[in-house]
Structures are given as C-alpha cells and as structure tokens.
Amino acid sequence: MFGLTFEKLLIVAVIAAFLIGPERLPLYAGKLRQFVRTVRDFADGAKDRMKEEMGPEFDDVDWKKLDPRQYDPRRIIREALLDDAPAPSAIKPVTPSAYAQRASLPPGTVPPFDPEST
C-alpha cells in the first residue's frame, strides 16, 4: 500500500493527534468514521447494483481470474513460445498430381482453376 507499513501509519497518526490537539480530535475522528462509512456504503451499493444488472451470472464469474494483479507478461510469453500446437498454414503444399498437371502444360499457359485444390 504505497510503501506504508503499520509502524509508519502509527507514527503519522500520533503526529496528526498532536497537531490536531485533544479538543478537535473527537470531531475529526467522527468525520473520518463518517467518510469510511460513506465509502463502504458506496462500494456495497455498486456491488448490489452490479448483482442486479448481471443477474444470476454474477455468482458464476471467477473474479480472481479477472484480477489484474494476476497478469504476468513473462508467463504469457513463455506459454506462447512453448506452445506445441503448430500454427495453421494458409499455404497448402503442392501435391504430386498438381505438379504433374503443371508440367504437362505447354510453356506460357496458365493451368485451369480447380476450386477443390484450394
């Protein structure tokens, strides 16, 4: 969390308590509580609205799979490079019969179009 540890947060809280003073500390603590409650209610409302709009599919979503922290470019590249499946080829190999047909044509003529060979 931005490099903040519990000890650093505790020091910031103690310094804030000294700067605010004992008279105003309860007022600011109440404002902080109200702010946290508002943010929590906002998040719960957004989650409820999403459940309403998605319907029963909301429970079927694997949220951990969609977590951007799971994204590891090194793993994705490694899996792509080590993939054993051959890439689909757009060029078909020349068969011996097609070669023989081409060889039997007179020079300068174009072989007839055969839609089955493509």
Side-chain angles (χ1 to χ4, degrees):
M1 186 176 127
F2 305 114
L4 294 176
T5 61
F6 178 72
E7 292 85 14
K8 290 178 184 176
L9 289 174
L10 185 63
I11 291 171
V12 168
V14 170
I15 292 173
F18 277 119
L19 290 176
I20 293 173
E23 302 87 27
R24 294 182 296 183
L25 191 61
L27 175 69
Y28 285 108
K31 287 183 179 183
L32 178 65
R33 185 187 72 209
Q34 185 65 30
F35 175 73
V36 169
R37 183 176 290 160
T38 302
V39 169
R40 188 177 51 208
D41 290 344
F42 177 74
D44 288 341
K47 190 168 103 177
D48 292 340
R49 184 171 176 185
M50 193 167 194
K51 277 185 180 181
E52 273 181 25
E53 291 183 8
M54 286 185 70
E57 293 92 23
F58 183 81
D59 295 329
D60 297 338
V61 175
D62 184 14
W63 295 107
K64 288 184 180 181
K65 187 176 179 182
L66 298 175
D67 188 3
R69 293 175 289 185
Q70 301 291 328
Y71 174 73
D72 183 15
R74 293 173 293 190
R75 179 184 53 82
I76 293 170
I77 292 171
R78 187 179 328 111
E79 288 175 358
L81 291 176
L82 297 177
D83 190 15
D84 293 338
S89 176
I91 301 173
K92 294 185 180 183
V94 176
T95 60
S97 63
Y99 183 73
Q101 179 187 10
R102 173 121 177 144
S104 66
L105 293 174
T109 60
V110 179
F113 177 70
D114 184 12
E116 291 180 5
S117 66
T118 58

